[in-house]
Amino acid sequence: MVYVDSPTMPQAPRVCIAITLVQNMHRAISVLTRKVDNLTQTLKSMRADYWKELLHLRYGYIPDHEAHWFDPKSYQDNVTIECINAKLSSREQNLQDRISQLEREMNKMQLTHQQEMGDSDRDMTRAKKVVSEMPLDQLFLFLRMQNSAR
């Protein structure tokens, strides 16, 4: 890039750029302009087909005669589909990770619960053994004391 001063006082310095860079810029602008024109045309036709179908359904619907002008698949572009698929797969992976984490937590809780239930089962077995070996008069006395404490 070269700055050139002119003999008269310009508002800003002029910039000299290689012609190939200017041509590349023009080519890029023309490609982008063509893409915008294509998208504009697609949007116009999509909008027209959509409104035709809506108006037909609203005002001229005949049960035996179906008319379809709007086909969403004909207006899809690959870039949008790839972006949506990438976002969905990322979201799916995050949800799978969350499910795995919750399953691990659930397994830990079930194991803890089984251990606690195992302890209470041992306590219940021990209590049954003590009660079965206890004489009936002592058992009734014990039960009477428990009821009176309430």
Side-chain angles (χ1 to χ4, degrees), residues 7 13 15 18 36 38 48 83 85 110 121 126 136:
V15 179
V36 168
N38 289 340
C83 289
N85 286 338
Q110 285 177 343
D121 286 344
R126 201 175 308 129
L136 284 177

Side-chain angles (χ1 to χ4, degrees), residues 31-55:
V31 167
L32 291 175
T33 303
R34 209 171 341 114
K35 285 183 179 182
V36 168
D37 291 342
N38 289 340
L39 287 174
T40 303
Q41 188 61 36
T42 301
L43 185 61
K44 283 181 183 179
S45 66
M46 181 177 69
R47 193 177 288 138
D49 291 346
Y50 182 72
W51 281 109
K52 279 181 192 177
E53 192 163 325
L54 278 180
L55 290 174

Side-chain angles (χ1 to χ4, degrees), residues 1-2 4-6 13-14 24 34-35 48 58 63-64 69 78-79 86-87 99 106 110-111 115 121 124-125 146-147:
M1 193 178 311
V2 179
V4 178
D5 289 330
S6 66
R14 294 188 322 183
N24 289 340
R34 209 171 341 114
K35 285 183 179 182
R58 182 175 288 168
D64 296 336
W69 288 280
N78 293 332
V79 175
K87 186 67 174 176
I99 288 171
M106 185 177 69
Q110 285 177 343
L111 183 61
Q115 290 173 348
D121 286 344
M124 186 62 81
T125 305
Q146 290 298 320
N147 273 339

Side-chain angles (χ1 to χ4, degrees), residues 8-34:
T8 60
M9 293 297 283
Q11 299 293 334
R14 294 188 322 183
V15 179
C16 293
I17 300 175
I19 190 72
T20 56
L21 295 176
V22 173
Q23 289 172 344
N24 289 340
M25 184 176 64
H26 281 285
R27 233 186 333 269
I29 289 171
S30 68
V31 167
L32 291 175
T33 303
R34 209 171 341 114

Side-chain angles (χ1 to χ4, degrees), residues 59-71:
Y59 299 112
Y61 182 74
I62 302 168
D64 296 336
H65 178 70
E66 299 230 0
H68 298 282
W69 288 280
F70 181 72
D71 182 20

